Amino acid sequence: QYEADNSGALRGLAYVYARSGQLDKGVALLEKAVASDTALADKLAGTRADLLQEQAKAFVQAQRPSAALRALETAVALEQDSAWVRHSLAQLYVRLGLPKEALHAMDEGIALAPEAVQMHYARALIRSALDDDTGALTDMAHIAPAVRTQGMQELVQRASVNQLIGQATSATHPASASATDTYSLLQRAEVLAQDDASLLYAVANAWFKRGQPAAGTAVFDRLEERAGPLPASVQLDHTALLHRAHNDAAVAQRLPSLLAQLQWSSAQETQLLALYGNHQERLIERQRTAGAPGQALQLARAPLPDIDARSDAVPVHAQSWQQRRRGQAQLLAAAGESAAPTILLQ
């Protein structure tokens, strides 16, 4: 039991409901208390906003986006100067493909608290999610480097790298532009990326877009020289870039060690199997061009590597099994075996 005007007791009971999986009861309790005593509105605003955010998460999981929006819009009305309540609302707008509404939610927050560090950081995150790297950096410029958290520093790094990549690959920076200009932009991007493999992969892709695949693979060559042996997932990305660059000798050298790895996720296994298949297909086509159809067919009929069963001893899923059959059919077709692929795909 609780006294009707005891805000502390009301908050405590509401959180008990929330922790026991009865969010709706907690929200209803506070709404009823505020309706019966308006003096409690300010005291309970923060707690109501907290519970509404949790309720919104539950609505999203239940695929009820409209209900989630209503909950978060109410939460923002209760805590208008809370950067992270607004961020939750803006994030949902982004997820629903409503960028103008997302930015409007954050712009209102900036108007209320133009110097608030957290509000600028929250808007920078939303701008970054909308690929507005320049806008994100503008917001982060309001936060002194000395007080930036690790997350803030990572956002500045990511946005800075992406901004340079955008400049190097944009339509206003045509392929005929000075090679020196492109090199300067992407070299700066690589330096800013440091040893972040995901950012370096974006830099490498930018080189590919500029028609310079060798420069793209060299980004990861330098990472390997600096950092020593790379994690398996990074090695996989590096090898995929080498395949795109038609460096078949380097791919052939790296594939055996990748195939021997045991810790692949299902998505990585799919990527690795596709890489193996595409590499084999290229070798098969080369044999046929060289007038060696027998060797091409021998390569095509070789069993695909048993990657799938190596991840946590999980049995091969139907989707993976189908991918393997498609991959085998792809290789047989490349070798000129017209009937076998049809049988495999039935």
Side-chain angles (χ1 to χ4, degrees):
Q1 297 295 322
Y2 61 89
E3 297 178 22
D5 62 349
N6 188 330
S7 59
L10 287 165
R11 280 194 295 270
L13 182 56
Y15 282 127
V16 168
Y17 279 135
R19 286 193 293 270
S20 63
Q22 301 179 80
L23 268 170
D24 291 347
K25 278 190 175 182
V27 171
L29 170 72
L30 298 183
E31 288 178 349
K32 181 179 178 180
V34 169
S36 62
D37 185 355
T38 55
L40 290 172
D42 289 341
K43 296 178 182 178
L44 296 177
T47 306
R48 291 176 67 195
D50 288 345
L51 265 60
L52 285 165
Q53 286 187 88
E54 292 303 314
Q55 192 178 49
K57 291 177 185 176
F59 286 144
V60 168
Q61 290 177 350
Q63 298 185 347
R64 297 177 59 192
S66 295
L69 277 177
R70 286 193 297 273
L72 288 173
E73 286 167 350
T74 302
V76 168
L78 290 169
E79 290 276 88
Q80 295 191 38
D81 58 352
S82 170
W84 300 111
V85 175
R86 286 187 176 276
H87 181 265
S88 295
L89 175 59
Q91 210 172 28
L92 182 56
Y93 278 135
V94 170
R95 181 172 178 173
L96 295 175
L98 299 168
K100 290 182 179 178
E101 288 79 358
L103 289 172
H104 179 69
M106 297 313 308
D107 290 346
E108 281 188 335
I110 294 291
L112 289 170
E115 302 302 323
V117 166
Q118 294 300 316
M119 195 69 78
H120 278 287
Y121 179 35
R123 186 170 70 172
L125 288 169
I126 294 301
R127 284 175 156 175
S128 177
L130 294 171
D131 297 323
D132 179 9
D133 297 303
T134 300
L137 290 172
T138 299
D139 268 317
M140 295 308 296
H142 288 266
I143 305 172
V147 301
R148 290 175 186 167
T149 63
Q150 182 177 346
M152 293 176 181
Q153 292 168 357
E154 290 173 354
L155 174 58
V156 170
Q157 179 192 30
R158 183 170 65 251
S160 299
V161 170
N162 288 337
Q163 184 183 54
L164 290 167
I165 290 172
Q167 291 170 2
T169 59
S170 70
T172 57
H173 190 78
S176 60
S178 166
T180 303
D181 292 342
T182 299
Y183 177 81
S184 176
L185 288 167
L186 294 182
Q187 183 187 45
R188 286 164 57 197
E190 183 178 345
V191 170
L192 283 173
Q194 299 177 357
D195 291 344
D196 187 308
S198 63
L199 292 179
L200 289 172
Y201 192 80
V203 175
N205 267 321
W207 280 115
F208 275 83
K209 288 181 181 179
R210 297 296 298 174
Q212 299 185 53
T217 58
V219 171
F220 272 71
D221 293 340
R222 288 188 287 272
L223 172 63
E224 197 167 45
E225 290 172 4
R226 289 194 306 272
L230 300 174
S233 60
V234 180
Q235 292 181 41
L236 178 56
D237 286 338
H238 189 183
T239 307
L241 289 171
L242 289 165
H243 177 75
R244 286 170 58 190
H246 291 263
N247 190 340
D248 296 328
V251 174
Q253 183 180 14
R254 291 167 179 270
L255 269 176
S257 63
L258 290 173
L259 293 169
Q261 296 288 338
L262 305 178
Q263 77 278 23
W264 301 117
S265 67
S266 59
Q268 289 169 335
E269 287 175 343
T270 298
Q271 182 186 359
L272 178 54
L273 190 58
L275 174 61
Y276 174 85
N278 292 333
H279 176 67
Q280 290 296 102
E281 183 178 12
R282 191 175 289 170
L283 297 182
I284 289 167
E285 290 171 349
R286 187 173 297 161
Q287 291 291 344
R288 291 189 69 189
T289 302
Q295 291 181 343
L297 193 57
Q298 185 178 359
L299 281 173
R301 288 175 174 170
L304 295 180
D306 186 17
I307 307 167
D308 307 87
R310 294 178 180 175
S311 286
D312 303 320
V314 177
V316 178
H317 293 96
Q319 182 178 356
S320 177
W321 180 79
Q322 290 171 1
Q323 183 197 7
R324 295 174 68 82
R325 288 178 69 87
R326 285 195 300 269
Q328 196 78 65
Q330 171 189 345
L331 297 181
L332 289 168
E337 188 83 354
S338 57
T342 303
I343 295 171
L344 276 171
L345 291 173
Q346 286 177 348

